[in-house]
Amino acid sequence: MGLASLTEWRAYLTAALTEAPGKSQSLISIQEHAAERESCHFCQLRAFSTHKDTPVSVVNALDRAVISPNFRFIDCMVLGEGVEPAEDSFRSGCSCERDGDCQFMGCHCLADLGDLESSSADEDEYQDDNYGANGHGKGKKKVYAYHSHGAKKGLLRSKMLDSKEPLYECHAGCSCSKDCPNRVVERGRTIPLQIFRTPDRGWGVHAQVAIKKGQFVDRYLGEIITSAEADRRRAASAISQRKDVYLFALDKFTNPESLDPRLKGPPLEVDGEFLSGPTRFINHSCDPNLRIFARVGDHADKHIHDLALFAIREIAAGEELTFDYVDGVTEDGAEMERGNGAHMTKCRDYIALFLIDCVFFVQMDTSPQSSSHFSSSPPSPVALTLRRHRRDEKRRLQEQYSLGRPFPSERLCGNGDCLLRCCCVYKTTGIHLPWYILIDRDESEDGVLVKDILTEFAYLVTTEVWPSIEKQSDVLLKARSMEAFVSSPPVRAAYLDFQTVCQKNDFDFSIESRLREALSSTMPQFRDLVTALDAAEQDSQRTEMLIHRHLQPQQQPGQTPSGRPQWTQESCIMRFLLTTELWRRHGEKHMRQRNWAWEEPWMVAELLSAVLLNYWLMDGEKCFAREPMRSSEQYDEAWQDWLDKYPLLEESGDERERRVTSPDLVPKPFGMIRGLDFEREIGYVGGVGTAARGPLWRDSSQRHEGDDEEEGDGGLPQH
Ligand SMILES: C[S@@+](CC[C@H](N)C(=O)[O-])C[C@H]1O[C@@H](n2cnc3c(N)ncnc32)[C@H](O)[C@@H]1O
C-alpha cells in the first residue's frame, strides 16, 4: 500500500474512517482531518488525478526512514514569486482539423521543426501512414517526435532519444483532440511508480511494470523560481552547494540575443527539493536508463518549459530508474559527447560527491528527528554532529562573504542577468562553475619556491609603481595587498580563461616577445577604457555597455556587417585585463578592495599587464597545476585558502605593525630568493618597467615620472 510512516498510516486510517459509507464525518474533527491530509504524503499522492490507474507508492523494507515531512508531493509545476505564464493574448495553438494533420506544414505547434528527412530508418511508418490523405499529404511533413501508430505508437523516436532537441507538442490551446499523437507528455504519466528505500543512496524509484525504450515516464516537477532566488536558496541551503541536484535550469531556449525578454536569461530554475513529484527521488547514474528532455506546449510558455523523462532503453519491471544529472553538458552549456572522457569524469565526480552526501542524509533520514512531528526523544549525537556540521558550513560561507568573497549571484559587469561566462566568475553552480582551477605548486621547475616568486613579484611591482613610498612598513603592506590580488581566485580564473580563448583561436604566445607586442598594442586602448569607466561610474548602463563591448570578440575592419565577430590577440588580452580590473573595482567599499586603489589609469594598466606577464612566466616555469574543478565545495575551499592566506589587515596601528612584521609577510630581500636572482638571471619584473628597462608600453600621452628610459624587450626566457 505504500504507507512508509506512522504519519501516513494515521492519516490513511483517518481518511478511510471518515470516508467509509455510513460513518459520520464528525468522528474526528474536520480541522484535524485537514491538517493530517496536509502533512500526509499518502494523502497527497492519493489526490493525484492519475492515482486510480497509475498510482505512486512509497515503500521502505530496509529501515525506519520516512520521507521528510518538509517535502510535499505535487502533480503540476508551482510558479514561484515573479514567475508568470504567458498572457492569454500571446497564446496560440494549432487549428489542425484532424489529429493526424498535425504533422503537416500547417501545424503551429511544429513550426520550429525541420521537415521530415526521408532517409531516416526510424521514420518508415510514414510510408504507409494514412494521416493527411485528405489532400494534406501533398504538403511536406514535419518530423514528429513520436511514432504515431503501429507497435511503437506513442514512443519517442530513436533519433530524438539520441539528440538534445526540444519536444514540441500540441496542447490545451489546440483544436486537435487529446488523442492527437503529438500529445504524449501532455497526456501525463501512464506508468505506476514506486519510491523505495535503497541500501546506500537514500530513496530511489522503480516501476513494477516493464518500460519500453522511448516511453514517457514522468515530468520533473517543482517550484519554478527566478535565477536570483535559486542563488539565494543555494547560499542559504542546509545542504549548501549540494542543493544543485534539486535545481534544474529551464535554459533550453535561453539566448542572450532573443527578442523575448523572458528568454534572454538568466533562465528560471525548477526547485524540486521540497515540492515535487516522484521523479525527484530518481538517483543519478553514469549509465542511466532515462533521459530528460525539454518539452514545450504553448510556444508562448517556452520560458517555463517542461522537463520530461523518457526511457532510453528497455527497462525491466522492478529495475531502478536513473538518469544522468550531468547529461553531457559542458560548463559553457555546450554539449559534451556522452561517455567521452570529460563527461565520464564529471559524471563520476558527481557520484564521489554523493558518497560524502549520503553519509549525511542517510543518517539524517533515519535519525528520529526527521519525523520530529511525533518524536519527543532528544536528538541523537549523530544528528547533533550533522546539524553542527551544516551550521558551520553555512557560517563559514557567510564569513567568506563578509571577508571579501563576492556573492555567487553577483556579476563582474554589475548586471545580475548577464550570462556572459567571464562575467559570471563568482557563480558556483551548474554551467558557471569554473571547469578548472589553477593551483600553485610548491616549487617551480628549477626548484624555486612558488610562494617566494609571488611575494617577490608583488614587492617589485609595488616598489616600481610607488617608488615614493618611504616607510618600509607601508611598502610591505602595499606589496602584501598586491600579492593578495594577484593570487586571488578571479585573477586565476581570468588567466585560465585567457589561455582557453588563446587556444581556441590558435594564438601562439609561446614566444614572450609576441605577448609583449600584443600587450603593448592593447595598452593604450585599455588605459583609455579605464579612464572611460571612471568617467561613467554613475551611469550603470553606459558602464555595462563599455564592459561588454570589450569582453567579447569584435567585428574586424573589412568584415561584412553580418560576419561573425572575431577574436584577435589584442581582444583576448583586453578580456584578461578588463576582467581582472573589474574584480579590482568590485565592491570598492569593501576594505579589501580599498587596498587595491591604484589611483591612476596608467598604474592600473601597468600593474595588470605585469600580472598577465607574470602569470605567463610562472606558467612557463611550471609553477602551476591545473586541476579539474570537481564541485562547488572545491571552489569554496579555494576561496577559503585565499582568505586564510591573506587576512584582512586591521586598521589599528599596533595590529598593523604586528602583522606586517610577522616573518611570513616580509618579502625576502630583493634578489635574494634561493636559487634565483630576479634582476640578474631573469631580468624581469612582470610588465612593469624597471629602472634598467623602462616601462612596457608608452605613448606620448601617457608619460609619467621615471619614464625616461628606453623601451626594453627583455631577453626574457622563452617557454
Ligand atoms: C535528487 S536526489 C535523489 C533522491 C535521493 N536518493 C533521496 O533519497 O532523496 C539526489 C541525491 O540522491 C543521492 N544520490 C543520487 N544519485 C546517487 C548515486 N548514484 N550515488 C550516491 N548517491 C546518489 C545524493 O545524495 C543526491 O544528493
Side-chain angles (χ1 to χ4, degrees):
M1 185 177 305
L3 300 179
S5 72
L6 190 59
T7 329
E8 296 187 1
W9 268 110
R10 189 190 278 188
Y12 174 66
L13 290 176
T14 306
L17 272 177
T18 47
E19 282 169 22
K23 292 278 177 191
S24 152
Q25 186 86 346
S26 64
L27 266 178
I28 52 164
S29 95
I30 290 174
Q31 265 180 352
E32 229 178 80
H33 183 162
E36 292 278 4
R37 269 173 181 261
E38 262 306 287
S39 62
C40 154
H41 292 134
F42 176 72
C43 303
Q44 292 157 13
L45 291 170
R46 219 170 51 128
F48 286 5
S49 59
T50 47
H51 178 69
K52 197 160 151 276
D53 299 326
T54 54
V56 175
S57 51
V58 184
V59 289
N60 182 353
L62 281 186
D63 51 37
R64 293 172 53 219
V66 292
I67 290 177
S68 162
N70 296 333
F71 178 80
R72 191 184 162 80
F73 283 102
I74 50 173
D75 63 352
C76 58
M77 290 281 198
V78 171
L79 300 189
E81 214 178 302
V83 179
E84 301 287 343
E87 278 177 33
D88 284 350
S89 54
F90 289 108
R91 300 193 162 276
S92 63
C94 72
S95 43
C96 304
E97 282 166 25
R98 297 180 342 150
D99 295 343
D101 289 350
C102 286
Q103 58 187 299
F104 294 87
M105 292 287 280
C107 181
H108 290 318
C109 303
L110 301 179
D112 290 357
L113 285 182
D115 296 332
L116 176 68
E117 286 166 35
S118 54
S119 59
S120 165
D122 198 32
E123 325 295 347
D124 52 12
E125 69 177 76
Y126 280 106
Q127 307 302 320
D128 57 1
D129 196 335
N130 288 325
Y131 284 125
N134 192 18
H136 301 280
K138 293 187 192 103
K140 274 190 175 172
K141 285 177 179 176
K142 292 284 180 181
V143 185
Y144 245 10
Y146 308 107
H147 293 271
S148 53
H149 64 285
K152 293 186 180 173
K153 185 173 175 183
L155 304 184
L156 198 59
R157 292 172 184 281
S158 333
K159 207 170 148 194
M160 293 301 293
L161 282 174
D162 293 336
S163 83
K164 297 209 87 182
E165 292 301 309
L167 309 176
Y168 295 97
E169 287 197 355
C170 295
H171 52 92
C174 296
S175 62
C176 53
S177 84
K178 70 174 183 18
D179 297 323
C180 166
N182 197 30
R183 291 185 187 231
V184 172
V185 178
E186 173 85 1
R187 277 192 291 270
R189 180 166 49 81
T190 55
I191 303 164
L193 294 177
Q194 187 160 68
I195 300 169
F196 71 102
R197 191 71 180 166
T198 69
D200 51 355
R201 286 155 302 127
W203 301 98
V205 180
H206 58 208
Q208 287 150 308
V209 296
I211 304 176
K212 291 188 192 137
K213 180 176 172 185
Q215 191 167 355
F216 169 58
V217 174
D218 204 351
R219 291 185 297 156
Y220 183 88
L221 297 176
E223 188 185 0
I224 304 186
I225 53 176
T226 61
S227 156
E229 173 61 10
D231 281 345
R232 197 196 61 71
R233 289 187 190 187
R234 278 184 191 100
S237 168
I239 52 172
S240 184
Q241 272 64 37
R242 289 186 287 268
K243 171 81 179 165
D244 271 339
V245 295
Y246 299 105
L247 286 165
F248 278 86
L250 297 180
D251 55 2
K252 193 73 208 175
F253 302 96
T254 303
N255 175 1
E257 270 140 41
S258 172
L259 296 178
D260 181 342
R262 299 164 316 159
L263 298 180
K264 268 185 182 300
L268 300 171
E269 298 190 36
V270 180
D271 182 357
E273 187 178 0
F274 299 113
L275 274 181
S276 192
T279 52
R280 122 81 163 89
F281 294 92
I282 297 181
N283 286 314
H284 162 83
S285 166
C286 301
D287 181 20
N289 47 26
L290 304 181
R291 195 159 187 216
I292 209 156
F293 289 82
R295 176 265 178 198
V296 185
D298 196 311
H299 286 218
D301 278 333
K302 277 180 174 170
H303 64 305
I304 48 172
H305 64 76
D306 279 325
L307 298 166
L309 285 151
F310 283 81
I312 51 174
R313 58 175 169 77
E314 301 291 319
I315 304 175
E319 191 183 334
E320 180 174 354
L321 303 179
T322 54
F323 70 98
D324 178 356
Y325 293 0
V326 183
D327 202 14
V329 176
T330 68
E331 54 173 340
D332 294 324
E335 278 174 44
M336 180 168 42
E337 206 179 306
R338 279 158 52 76
N340 78 8
H343 171 243
M344 286 314 270
T345 311
K346 182 128 203 222
C347 192
R348 283 198 213 100
D349 287 346
Y350 252 79
I351 296 191
L353 177 67
F354 295 155
L355 291 180
I356 308 167
D357 200 23
C358 275
V359 176
F360 293 115
F361 89 90
V362 169
Q363 289 172 343
M364 275 307 260
D365 263 13
T366 46
S367 76
Q369 288 66 52
S370 56
S371 50
S372 53
H373 251 44
F374 289 99
S375 171
S376 56
S377 52
S380 73
V382 171
L384 281 176
T385 312
L386 291 170
R387 269 195 224 167
R388 203 173 310 124
H389 174 88
R390 287 177 179 177
R391 242 195 347 252
D392 290 351
E393 208 174 285
K394 227 161 117 180
R395 201 174 300 139
R396 197 166 70 124
L397 278 180
Q398 269 154 8
E399 202 181 47
Q400 286 191 357
Y401 300 136
S402 72
L403 290 174
R405 173 180 176 180
F407 282 107
S409 56
E410 293 177 31
R411 307 289 198 279
L412 276 179
C413 61
N415 175 354
D417 290 339
C418 176
L419 280 178
L420 199 62
R421 194 168 155 64
C422 62
C423 285
C424 293
V425 72
Y426 311 129
K427 291 219 29 132
T428 55
T429 51
I431 61 168
H432 294 298
L433 185 67
W435 196 236
Y436 286 98
I437 185 165
L438 200 65
I439 310 271
D440 292 346
R441 293 184 199 275
D442 288 341
E443 294 183 351
S444 74
E445 199 174 25
D446 292 333
V448 183
L449 287 179
V450 168
K451 72 180 175 55
D452 284 352
I453 298 179
L454 278 169
T455 307
E456 184 82 347
F457 168 74
Y459 183 75
L460 289 176
V461 289
T462 303
T463 47
E464 286 299 324
V465 171
W466 291 279
S468 54
I469 306 181
E470 277 169 15
K471 220 170 130 199
Q472 181 66 356
S473 60
D474 288 342
V475 175
L476 294 178
L477 261 182
K478 197 100 183 152
R480 187 64 178 165
S481 76
M482 169 64 72
E483 189 184 328
F485 175 79
V486 175
S487 319
S488 62
V491 175
R492 287 168 188 268
Y495 182 69
L496 285 173
D497 174 69
F498 168 75
Q499 276 194 322
T500 310
V501 183
C502 287
Q503 272 160 13
K504 276 192 184 162
N505 292 282
D506 286 334
F507 295 150
D508 179 8
F509 285 127
S510 60
I511 297 176
E512 201 254 349
S513 56
R514 219 175 273 162
L515 177 59
R516 267 182 179 262
E517 264 166 38
L519 202 39
S520 295
S521 56
T522 317
M523 280 297 100
Q525 203 196 347
F526 177 61
R527 187 208 50 211
D528 292 347
L529 175 61
V530 175
T531 312
L533 286 174
D534 286 342
E537 206 169 327
Q538 304 301 329
D539 182 346
S540 57
Q541 258 186 338
R542 188 169 140 63
T543 307
E544 195 195 322
M545 194 197 69
L546 276 171
I547 292 172
H548 282 158
R549 194 189 312 143
H550 290 89
L551 285 179
Q552 298 176 87
Q554 285 158 20
Q555 290 281 338
Q556 298 308 313
Q559 242 191 310
T560 54
S562 56
R564 256 182 78 195
Q566 279 165 11
W567 285 105
T568 59
Q569 296 189 344
E570 284 74 17
S571 57
C572 182
I573 289 174
M574 177 62 97
R575 175 148 138 158
F576 172 88
L577 298 173
L578 183 53
T579 48
T580 48
E581 167 60 359
L582 293 173
W583 158 232
R584 185 188 74 86
R585 288 169 175 251
H586 184 103
E588 270 164 349
K589 289 185 196 66
H590 197 281
M591 212 173 121
R592 198 173 283 283
Q593 267 89 353
R594 263 192 275 147
N595 287 324
W596 299 336
W598 294 343
E599 297 138 39
E600 301 286 340
W602 71 261
M603 288 179 169
V604 174
E606 282 274 1
L607 288 167
L608 293 180
S609 70
V611 173
L612 178 56
L613 272 169
N614 190 57
Y615 263 89
W616 179 89
L617 175 77
M618 290 180 71
D619 202 12
E621 299 288 315
K622 308 273 182 295
C623 295
F624 303 124
R626 268 165 204 71
E627 279 190 13
M629 182 82 83
R630 288 192 196 86
S631 62
S632 47
E633 275 83 353
Q634 200 184 345
Y635 202 31
D636 294 342
E637 282 307 318
W639 277 101
Q640 190 63 48
D641 288 349
W642 180 71
L643 293 167
D644 288 345
K645 192 166 173 203
Y646 302 101
L648 277 179
L649 301 181
E650 318 286 335
E651 301 275 24
S652 98
D654 282 359
E655 181 68 8
R656 205 163 126 161
E657 212 56 43
R658 195 181 62 70
R659 280 175 188 261
V660 292
T661 51
S662 97
D664 243 15
L665 300 187
V666 182
K668 305 278 184 304
F670 183 68
M672 292 297 287
I673 291 178
R674 186 171 57 82
L676 184 69
D677 178 336
F678 265 78
E679 265 291 80
R680 201 160 47 79
E681 290 183 22
I682 295 206
Y684 170 79
V685 284
V688 177
T690 65
R693 275 166 222 294
L696 174 73
W697 56 272
R698 74 178 68 191
D699 63 32
S700 54
S701 61
Q702 67 192 43
R703 293 177 79 85
H704 54 85
E705 231 183 297
D707 238 1
D708 298 326
E709 297 76 25
E710 269 179 37
E711 197 168 290
D713 156 67
L716 305 173
Q718 299 193 349
H719 283 216

